[in-house]
Amino acid sequence: MKKNNLPENKNLDLIRALIIKHKKNDHIFAGIGFFVIASLAVALLVLFLDLLINGYPKINLEFFSNFPSRKPEMAGILSAWMGSALVLFVTFFVAVPIGVAAGIYLEEYAKKGWFADLIEINVSNLAGVPSIIYGLLALGLFVYEFGMGQSILTAGLTLSLLMLPIVIVSTREAIRGIPVHIREAAFAVGATKWQVTWHHVIQYAMGGVLTGIIIGMARAIGETAPVITIGALTFIAFLPPSPVTEVAPFINFDWLDAGFTVLPIQMFNWISRPEHAFHINAAATGAVIIMLTLLMNGVAIKLRYNIRKKIKW
Amino acid sequence: MVKKQEIIKAESRNFNFFYADGTHALKDINVPLYEKRITALIGPSGCGKSTFLRSFNRMHDLYPGNKYQGKIILNPDDTNILDKKVDAIEVRMRISMVFQKPNPFPKSIYENVAYGLRVRGENNKRMLDDKVEEALKGASLWNEVKDRLPDLAFNLSGGQQQRLCIARALATDPEIMLFDEPTSALDPIATVNIEELMSELKKKLTILIVTHNMQQAARISDYTAYMYLGKMIEFDETDIIFTNPSKKETEDYITGKFG
Ligand SMILES: Nc1ncnc2c1ncn2[C@@H]1O[C@H](COP(=O)(O)OP(=O)(O)O)[C@@H](O)[C@H]1O
Ligand SMILES: [Mg+2]
């Protein structure tokens, strides 16, 4: 029943058929994507749950406050988590300032040209180098050449090499995300390059930089190969000297020279034992590592969200 | 045709500009900016208006390879602001700029206005407070924001943001203010506000504005320069440009036969 006498649009059916066909492609792609993501997520979840269920009987306060032991039911991860914490502490204080400064320099100050391109390619490649290579480099350079021994300092420096490219790349990306018109606004009122960098670039890039830092740290916490390569101990029943002391000057740096172990090595060590009881300890340690990683990622997401909320262009 | 009592605040002389890729964007431009007058730059898009405007605060220095040739003289001291010996920062401290799209910093309203002063090393709270208030009043924004100075600037409306950018440019007492199509991203009411504000501002300082809105040029400017393909085709009092231009090209553009 036509309500008017306009000519009929003969193409209408054709157009509708076309739209349906095109939309089908959307659905197919979304379906494949969902399937891939879901299988990955499920695989990860199963792994984590497996560790958690196996290790569950061990995850309690004593597990964190006991040294490793020959008796599996007494063994804990005190020296391992302390070692991981101290190593990461060194890594953080080395990789963050150098990485952020390098990122800023490359993005803001370095002259664009073949040299900058060369550095750019190298930094991106470094992020993909297998971590054991860093271990070998550290063994030759830090342990033997510089005589720093198989210490917390050596491990911290090694992991900071691993983390540097991540921090540099994320700093550069965060800086690139700052719009030109915001920079120009700062220059237009007479700011110097340093003022623009300090008052604006660093502030606005902080969200992305923080994310890079935490992702880098989360990677460093699970690294095993380079730490084994430089010769971390596998069984250690003492703590490094405390970084804080009761007498002035209240801090000391002897711990930097101490031998140590880290969580993934402790886990590896227990896995290679024949007794089943140690495998439970290993599973518990694995669950702790994954929870730490998840926690750090959660903190990264929260921090980034808080910072982004204050920045809009 | 220029009234005798006009004082030249700045003047470009045989000014040429080349972008790093070799584009010869401005060709032999000679234009005066008269003290406490509004000069409008009009012309079809791509003719070089922004390029010319941005030369006045040496914005092109930010990108390597750009080249100025000729002079832009700034009075009363007869300084050639394009001279390599003159620091670009000195120029930007004397000649401030408002951009096409409002571009407040993602900081508080207060810090946005105070920034030009902070850059100069001013940290005295009382002094900053006074200057911020004065600039916001000068940009007719004070009444709207006086109770929310610590709020983030991007929570303001587009028109308020643009007036905030004007306040930021005003806080440092510039001698000249540059506006690059300041209302093209704004609604009609916000546009009227900015236009009224500019007429107020010219009591204190000299203004150069790029606009592709000819009615706007006719409404607010005292002088108008018509540019085409990097050349200055005609410069005159705005009334004359819009009623009785001496060049055929200008007339064609004004009457909409072209462009
Ligand atoms: N960064 C740049 N590099 C090279 N050429 C440019 C650059 N910016 C603008 N141009 C060219 O310079 C000419 C003038 O541009 P512009 O000043 O932006 O014009 P308008 O503001 O009048 O629209 C145009 O031909 C444009 O393509
Ligand atoms: Mg333009």
Side-chain angles (χ1 to χ4, degrees):
Chain A
M1 270 260 280
K2 279 170 69 173
K3 290 208 181 96
N4 55 47
N5 42 16
L6 288 170
E8 219 172 307
N9 184 344
K10 300 205 181 63
N11 283 334
L12 207 53
D13 287 339
L14 229 72
I15 293 172
R16 283 178 182 154
L18 206 67
I19 292 174
I20 290 173
K21 198 175 126 207
H22 288 175
K23 282 213 167 153
K24 208 160 77 193
N25 290 343
D26 277 352
H27 293 313
I28 292 173
F29 182 77
I32 294 175
F34 178 79
F35 178 74
V36 171
I37 301 258
S39 13
L40 280 173
V42 167
L44 209 67
L45 197 69
V46 167
L47 261 173
F48 180 50
L49 284 181
D50 183 51
L51 287 174
L52 206 58
I53 292 166
N54 283 332
Y56 182 73
K58 282 298 287 183
I59 301 180
N60 51 36
L61 264 183
E62 264 157 45
F63 189 56
F64 288 90
S65 61
N66 282 354
F67 283 110
S69 157
R70 248 160 311 193
K71 292 182 222 117
E73 59 283 2
M74 302 268 294
I77 54 171
L78 177 61
S79 46
W81 75 254
M82 272 286 198
S84 277
L86 291 174
V87 168
L88 280 184
F89 186 77
V90 174
T91 302
F92 180 88
F93 278 96
V94 174
V96 170
I98 297 181
V100 173
I104 290 172
Y105 173 78
L106 289 173
E107 208 49 44
E108 297 285 309
Y109 286 87
K111 287 239 159 39
K112 306 283 175 273
W114 65 269
F115 189 66
D117 290 345
L118 192 74
I119 293 182
E120 162 118 48
I121 292 168
N122 268 303
V123 170
S124 327
N125 280 340
L126 278 179
V129 169
S131 56
I132 191 153
I133 307 289
Y134 287 98
L136 288 172
L137 169 78
L139 185 67
L141 193 67
F142 300 143
V143 179
Y144 295 134
E145 201 64 38
F146 297 167
M148 295 194 294
Q150 300 164 337
S151 60
I152 290 178
L153 180 63
T154 304
L157 290 178
T158 311
L159 293 184
S160 63
L161 287 181
L162 223 94
M163 190 173 152
L164 264 178
I166 301 175
V167 176
I168 294 176
V169 169
S170 64
T171 302
R172 297 187 67 179
E173 249 150 44
I175 290 177
R176 274 186 219 153
I178 300 171
V180 175
H181 62 256
I182 296 283
R183 271 168 208 279
E184 288 193 345
F187 279 115
V189 294
T192 61
K193 188 149 194 162
W194 174 247
Q195 286 170 326
V196 174
T197 304
W198 192 245
H199 299 150
H200 302 278
V201 172
I202 293 186
Q203 318 264 337
Y204 310 151
M206 202 44 87
V209 173
L210 269 176
T211 315
I213 291 172
I214 296 186
I215 288 173
M217 298 279 284
R219 175 168 173 199
I221 203 176
E223 273 303 336
T224 325
V227 193
I228 290 184
T229 314
I230 59 167
L233 303 169
T234 47
F235 184 93
I236 183 166
F238 57 87
L239 285 181
S242 169
V244 282
T245 55
E246 275 165 28
V247 292
F250 304 110
I251 46 171
N252 90 58
F253 291 102
D254 292 346
W255 56 274
L256 285 172
D257 279 332
F260 67 99
T261 193
V262 290
L263 287 166
I265 292 183
Q266 183 67 72
M267 179 177 173
F268 179 68
N269 178 22
W270 278 331
I271 287 243
S272 40
R273 295 294 197 86
E275 300 96 321
H276 176 72
F278 277 118
H279 296 175
I280 295 176
N281 291 2
T285 314
V288 169
I289 295 175
I290 292 189
M291 281 190 287
L292 277 176
T293 312
L294 289 179
L295 185 76
M296 286 169 90
N297 279 309
V299 170
I301 291 169
K302 174 75 180 142
L303 281 174
R304 189 175 49 187
Y305 174 77
N306 283 353
I307 291 175
R308 296 263 158 96
K309 219 170 41 184
K310 293 205 204 101
I311 291 179
K312 207 158 76 188
W313 349 89
Chain B
M1 271 168 284
V2 170
K3 294 178 207 109
K4 283 195 285 308
Q5 67 271 25
E6 299 290 41
I7 304 163
I8 293 180
K9 177 63 192 167
E11 184 174 23
S12 78
R13 294 189 192 149
N14 298 322
F15 174 49
N16 284 269
F17 182 79
F18 304 85
Y19 277 109
D21 64 0
T23 309
H24 190 178
L26 297 173
K27 297 164 186 159
D28 289 318
I29 309 278
N30 292 288
V31 179
L33 303 188
Y34 293 113
E35 167 101 330
K36 298 190 177 152
R37 297 288 177 265
I38 297 180
T39 304
L41 288 172
I42 60 170
S45 149
C47 70
K49 306 180 297 291
S50 298
T51 306
F52 185 53
L53 185 99
R54 290 161 62 89
S55 302
F56 276 84
N57 66 347
R58 299 261 298 264
M59 230 38 187
H60 301 298
D61 287 31
L62 298 179
Y63 309 97
N66 294 333
K67 213 165 85 216
Y68 311 94
Q69 223 173 58
K71 291 179 176 178
I72 295 180
I73 298 295
L74 182 58
N75 287 326
D77 42 308
D78 196 33
T79 305
N80 173 17
I81 58 174
L82 300 180
D83 194 331
K84 289 238 157 40
K85 277 175 271 169
V86 178
D87 198 314
I89 292 174
E90 174 189 318
V91 177
R92 293 178 198 141
M93 288 191 170
R94 297 180 64 180
I95 302 180
S96 66
M97 174 164 181
V98 174
F99 295 76
Q100 181 164 359
K101 197 173 154 255
N103 56 354
F105 304 128
K107 296 179 187 282
S108 69
I109 293 171
Y110 182 95
E111 281 307 323
N112 264 279
V113 183
Y115 189 63
L117 302 160
R118 292 230 190 262
V119 156
R120 286 157 174 73
E122 182 61 67
N123 274 320
N124 181 318
K125 179 92 172 68
R126 284 262 310 276
M127 177 82 167
L128 286 173
D129 287 353
D130 289 349
K131 280 285 188 182
V132 166
E133 177 172 347
E134 190 188 318
L136 283 169
K137 280 179 176 158
S140 354
L141 190 59
W142 176 250
N143 287 332
E144 288 153 72
V145 301
K146 61 172 184 255
D147 302 319
R148 46 193 286 217
L149 293 178
D151 281 12
L152 288 166
F154 57 68
N155 290 326
L156 298 171
S157 72
Q160 288 174 323
Q161 285 186 22
Q162 194 61 307
R163 276 179 284 147
L164 181 69
C165 293
I166 293 175
R168 178 174 69 194
L170 202 57
T172 51
D173 296 323
E175 297 162 46
I176 301 178
M177 261 173 98
L178 311 169
F179 292 83
D180 192 351
E181 304 193 20
T183 60
S184 65
L186 304 181
D187 63 69
I189 292 174
T191 299
V192 171
N193 285 340
I194 302 266
E195 287 179 3
E196 282 171 357
L197 178 54
M198 270 191 266
S199 307
E200 200 56 39
L201 287 175
K202 81 168 180 182
K203 291 178 186 158
K204 288 192 295 192
L205 42 82
T206 305
I207 290 175
L208 178 62
I209 175 176
V210 167
T211 174
H212 64 203
N213 175 339
M214 278 185 282
Q215 287 76 30
Q216 182 169 66
R219 272 196 302 269
I220 62 171
S221 72
D222 304 291
Y223 294 90
T224 297
Y226 171 61
M227 291 177 70
Y228 182 59
L229 294 179
K231 293 205 184 88
M232 183 63 57
I233 305 296
E234 188 168 355
F235 170 84
D236 214 320
E237 283 177 44
T238 298
D239 290 346
I240 296 175
I241 290 278
F242 280 94
T243 54
N244 189 17
S246 51
K247 295 266 173 47
K248 177 88 171 53
E249 293 117 295
T250 314
E251 186 177 334
D252 286 352
Y253 183 69
I254 300 294
T255 53
K257 276 194 203 124
F258 147 82

